[in-house]
Amino acid sequence: MTPAPARVGDSVDAIDTPALVVDLTAFEHNLARMAAFAAEAGIGLRPHAKTHRCPAVALRQVAAGALGQCVQTVGEAEAMVAGGIGDVICTNQILGPSKLDRLARLARTARIGLLVDSQEGVERASQAAVAAGAEFDILVEIEVGMGRCGVAPGRPAAALARRVADAAGLRFRGLQAYNGRAQHIRSATGRRDAVARAAQAVRETQAALAAEGLTAAVIGGAGTGTFRHESAAGCWTEIQVGSYVFMDREYAELEDESGRRAPEFQHSLFVLAEIISTPSPGRAIANAGLKVLTTEQGRPLVFDHPDIEVTGVSDEHAVLTGPSGAALALGQRLRLIPGHCDPTVNLHDWIVAVREGRVEEVWPVAARGASR
Amino acid sequence: MTPAPARVGDSVDAIDTPALVVDLTAFEHNLARMAAFAAEAGIGLRPHAKTHRCPAVALRQVAAGALGQCVQTVGEAEAMVAGGIGDVICTNQILGPSKLDRLARLARTARIGLLVDSQEGVERASQAAVAAGAEFDILVEIEVGMGRCGVAPGRPAAALARRVADAAGLRFRGLQAYNGRAQHIRSATGRRDAVARAAQAVRETQAALAAEGLTAAVIGGAGTGTFRHESAAGCWTEIQVGSYVFMDREYAELEDESGRRAPEFQHSLFVLAEIISTPSPGRAIANAGLKVLTTEQGRPLVFDHPDIEVTGVSDEHAVLTGPSGAALALGQRLRLIPGHCDPTVNLHDWIVAVREGRVEEVWPVAARGASR
């Protein structure tokens, strides 16, 4: 693990760059806003730890009313349970026997769920749970428009649920109905229509489950781009939002029903960088590249400086273009808004949490790199 | 640091997935081929550690005749010196006082170089070297077509070199003339023309240095896409190639003089992944996404299966499309060729080095995350 880039109590000017920084005021606004939404809507909130990989963030989400966490990998589940989270759903297909053994060991001391979309998945999860003397909650993952994992909705899903209900060591808890593609449709009507189709698939599956004598106590899904639509649809019981705590460039570019960009969450996550070269007026080079932020969903934006554009990103550099002036002077610090927060956080060992110019906390990204 | 995904002696089938794997036969072919080229051409070989961040790789490059290593960050320099590399050039502008102090401490026990492109850079490097009782080698970075850092070639560069030569604690060693853009021009003639323009800038600067009574003992630059051109130009003394040891998708797509893709280096680096869901015939989902490989220079290719295409990549998943059959069956393992090797390696704590179906070594990526 790399040394932390700051100490509690430091001025923000003393943070070594490049560093991942969270503005606590914006972060707490986001936490509170989503918690209030879920409470008012009467829907469960289970934020996704794939966004932060950081127990310090997860604990704050749970303190604000979240049921627990979602994770995507066994390593993330281990970090969350070790960090004090007692209720975790792994929203993924886990097939490797050694991974299932690790998950089953966790299930001795925490409530652990996972997804299945195949008979093989049911059998392997059952074997691991029985061997560990533990039980898994199981959600049957149904395909609702994402084109990734998931069994067909309706009778195929209900048939798999029956196998889960009959398997030793497994508790059939419900359905996973997540359409990641819907999160990234820029227009609000496009997102709403995609969720409506997913809701139809859920209802069809609920009917098929009823014919099997089964009920889905949990229906999970939704993300930062669509959670209001899933909540309004009435069939989901838990929203699995992740990015709302940090917000990245892409989510901020989603449009509301009137076609405007009016994000209800604030950018709280930044890569703090410093200008190390000023080769010509209006052009500068900052010490933040592909190893501290990812660009597959767009280059970063420069916070507080909409007139400065990131026109290139290489391994350790960002090329900045804008008007000549102090913001592009040697040694100047800038906050970059990542294009995509989840893989960007995963590049860092530490999140420096700041408020009003001071470092208030330094959080380890405990599950950084934990993709196994 | 995450647990290693394999142990020495394991069968490759026992490697936990997703994992970063190096095929030693291809890796050694690449090492030997570049070393033979440099020896025959009579040019220095200083491979770039930003590609591998791994002392085990660096030591093999030095054993094959390399002068030492290039690095891009102070953290990489520390890892290389700690790993046994005694001659390191940081091919970057380092301005932060605490970073320069760390670099100066290294310079007490290893030969350490760095770049400058500003008077401020000269002054700060000098102060740090003097304070530590050490000396830095200094290369003046000139702009040769990259549009990133670098002082203008010719007299501005020579004037800065004069300041270096006159500063306490600094040895003027020469010029850095690297055009990263040239590496990525697909056509051979385009790459050759770009290098010819860079060579002209170098010669112009050499003449200006002579007028100052200075000589550039070292002229550094070049990369895997262009090193033959820089060598043929006659003015570079060291080639700073990185990707040749691993090869990624993008470098393999460069064309030779006849317009063909005929890479002289082999793919040695792979992300080993496993199929975790087979939702429909000819489509499968593997457990390798944006947290184990980067896609900003293209999605990965599937090694040994040109008929299978990666049609989507999310945080922990790759969507594979191809003909139905065993290669897309549940549990099947596939080797993915990353789009861009440098940032992909930086996602991993371990490189599993394999030969003929067995794990021969497991290398820590000691400088993973070391961007400060």
Side-chain angles (χ1 to χ4, degrees), chain A:
Chain A
M1 187 183 271
T2 55
R7 288 170 303 186
V8 171
D10 278 353
S11 156
V12 294
D13 296 331
I15 301 171
D16 197 14
T17 62
L20 194 65
V21 170
V22 159
D23 180 287
L24 282 168
T25 306
F27 172 82
E28 290 167 3
H29 165 91
N30 295 345
L31 272 188
R33 184 158 182 135
M34 185 62 85
F37 168 81
E40 283 162 31
I43 196 163
L45 171 61
R46 185 183 293 275
H48 214 304
K50 80 188 181 79
T51 296
H52 53 72
R53 288 192 154 185
C54 176
V57 174
L59 291 168
R60 281 162 179 77
Q61 291 173 320
V62 169
L67 301 169
Q69 293 278 299
C70 295
V71 300
Q72 204 74 320
T73 69
V74 177
E76 287 175 351
E78 288 169 336
M80 290 302 133
V81 172
I85 305 298
D87 186 341
V88 173
I89 296 179
C90 184
T91 58
N92 202 353
Q93 304 297 322
I94 305 294
L95 286 235
S98 68
K99 291 187 180 73
L100 283 166
D101 287 348
R102 288 160 54 205
L103 209 50
R105 283 198 292 275
L106 286 183
R108 291 174 180 158
T109 56
R111 180 158 201 160
I112 301 290
L114 76 155
L115 312 185
V116 299
D117 73 352
S118 68
Q119 171 60 15
E120 186 81 9
V122 174
E123 287 167 10
R124 292 192 186 187
S126 172
Q127 284 163 16
V130 169
E135 281 201 316
F136 287 131
D137 286 347
I138 299 288
L139 303 186
V140 170
E141 181 171 15
I142 60 174
E143 159 61 31
V144 293
M146 186 162 192
R148 206 170 66 182
C149 305
V151 69
R155 287 167 61 176
L160 195 61
R162 167 50 58 204
R163 289 174 182 265
V164 172
D166 293 346
L170 306 185
R171 289 182 292 255
F172 172 69
R173 286 286 291 163
L175 304 175
Q176 172 77 356
Y178 176 67
N179 181 355
R181 283 187 188 163
Q183 308 304 315
H184 306 291
I185 298 171
R186 194 167 280 192
S187 80
T189 51
R191 295 196 299 280
R192 195 182 52 216
D193 292 350
V195 172
R197 288 189 295 275
Q200 182 52 37
V202 170
R203 289 196 194 94
E204 186 189 334
T205 308
Q206 286 175 310
L209 287 172
E212 280 284 348
L214 294 171
T215 304
V218 172
I219 308 226
T224 295
T226 63
F227 66 94
R228 288 183 180 272
H229 302 301
E230 276 92 349
S231 298
C235 41
W236 278 268
T237 66
E238 295 186 1
I239 54 173
Q240 301 172 340
V241 288
S243 301
Y244 78 98
V245 277
F246 294 147
M247 288 298 282
D248 52 35
R249 172 182 184 160
E250 201 215 357
Y251 273 115
E253 289 176 349
L254 296 181
E255 294 166 356
D256 68 10
E257 298 278 348
S258 62
R260 283 178 305 198
R261 294 182 192 174
E264 59 182 311
F265 301 100
Q266 300 174 1
H267 291 298
S268 72
L269 184 84
F270 306 96
V271 172
L272 182 69
E274 197 169 346
I275 291 178
I276 58 164
S277 179
T278 52
S280 59
R283 204 159 62 80
I285 315 300
N287 63 347
L290 297 171
K291 291 181 181 169
V292 297
L293 52 85
T294 74
T295 61
E296 77 287 338
Q297 289 190 6
R299 291 178 183 148
L301 299 175
V302 183
F303 190 65
D304 283 341
H305 293 283
D307 53 342
I308 301 175
E309 192 185 354
V310 177
T311 51
V313 182
S314 49
D315 278 3
E316 301 288 353
H317 299 98
V319 179
L320 307 170
T321 308
S324 303
L328 292 183
L330 213 58
Q332 181 66 28
R333 287 160 171 250
L334 294 167
R335 285 187 284 175
L336 304 178
I337 301 168
H340 190 187
C341 54
D342 301 19
T344 292
V345 173
N346 183 52
L347 295 169
H348 295 266
D349 290 318
W350 303 95
I351 296 173
V352 182
V354 307
R355 193 191 313 268
E356 291 170 11
R358 288 272 151 202
V359 175
E360 192 164 300
E361 307 200 37
V362 181
W363 299 332
V365 185
R368 195 275 324 148
S371 288
R372 283 186 292 270

Side-chain angles (χ1 to χ4, degrees), chain B residues 66-235:
Chain B
L67 300 169
Q69 293 278 300
C70 296
V71 300
Q72 205 74 320
T73 70
V74 177
E76 287 175 351
E78 289 170 334
M80 289 302 133
V81 172
I85 304 298
D87 187 341
V88 173
I89 296 180
C90 183
T91 59
N92 202 353
Q93 305 296 323
I94 305 294
L95 285 237
S98 68
K99 290 186 181 73
L100 283 165
D101 287 347
R102 288 160 53 204
L103 209 50
R105 283 198 292 276
L106 286 184
R108 291 175 182 158
T109 56
R111 180 157 201 162
I112 301 290
L114 76 154
L115 311 187
V116 298
D117 72 353
S118 68
Q119 172 59 16
E120 187 80 9
V122 174
E123 287 167 11
R124 293 193 187 186
S126 172
Q127 284 163 15
V130 169
E135 281 201 314
F136 287 130
D137 286 347
I138 300 287
L139 303 186
V140 170
E141 181 170 16
I142 60 174
E143 159 62 31
V144 293
M146 186 162 193
R148 207 170 66 183
C149 305
V151 69
R155 287 167 61 177
L160 195 61
R162 167 50 58 205
R163 290 177 182 264
V164 173
D166 293 345
L170 306 184
R171 289 183 292 254
F172 172 68
R173 285 285 290 163
L175 304 175
Q176 172 78 354
Y178 176 66
N179 181 354
R181 282 187 189 164
Q183 307 305 315
H184 305 291
I185 299 171
R186 195 167 279 192
S187 80
T189 53
R191 294 196 300 279
R192 195 182 53 219
D193 293 349
V195 172
R197 289 190 293 276
Q200 182 51 40
V202 170
R203 291 198 192 92
E204 185 188 334
T205 308
Q206 286 175 310
L209 287 172
E212 281 284 349
L214 294 171
T215 303
V218 172
I219 309 229
T224 296
T226 64
F227 67 95
R228 288 183 179 273
H229 302 302
E230 277 92 348
S231 298
C235 42

